[in-house]
């Protein structure tokens, strides 16, 4: 594992420290999880944006249900 250094306003740091102390939270774990969550969100966003930039042909709902095995 590697470390990162970030700069935040003193107010944000104070809020973070207060929340961590009051609830017995591991600040490093929470920050790491927040970064992972945001990375996944951004990766999904850019994947969708990339796919939407390419021309596509709509598929009727009935065909979608057949393809995923949920047709009547």
């Amino acid at each position: 594992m590697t470390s990162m250094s970030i700069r935040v306003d003193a107010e944000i740091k104070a809020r973070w420290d207060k929340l961590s102390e009051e609830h017995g939270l591991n600040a490093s774990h929470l920050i790491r999880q927040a970064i992972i969550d945001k990375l996944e969100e951004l990766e999904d966003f850019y994947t969708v944006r990339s796919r939407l930039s390419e021309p596509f042909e709509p598929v009727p709902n009935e065909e979608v249900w057949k393809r995923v095995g949920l047709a009547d």
Side-chain angles (χ1 to χ4, degrees):
M1 205 177 289
T2 188
S3 62
M4 292 175 60
S5 177
I6 62 168
R7 295 184 188 278
V8 295
D9 294 335
E11 177 191 352
I12 294 171
K13 176 73 165 90
R15 287 171 57 196
W16 189 264
D17 290 343
K18 180 181 177 192
L19 188 68
S20 296
E21 284 182 32
E22 287 177 355
H23 299 284
L25 304 171
N26 179 315
S28 292
H29 172 74
L30 290 174
I31 292 170
R32 187 170 35 259
Q33 191 59 50
I35 291 170
I36 291 168
D37 292 346
K38 189 63 178 182
L39 277 173
E40 290 173 354
E41 179 183 318
L42 287 170
E43 289 166 343
D44 291 346
F45 171 78
Y46 286 110
T47 297
V48 168
R49 190 168 102 170
S50 172
R51 289 180 182 170
L52 288 176
S53 69
E54 300 169 7
F56 67 94
E57 186 175 321
V59 177
N61 286 340
E62 297 78 20
E63 180 63 25
V64 172
W65 295 124
K66 285 180 190 175
R67 290 181 188 185
V68 297
L70 298 174
D72 290 334

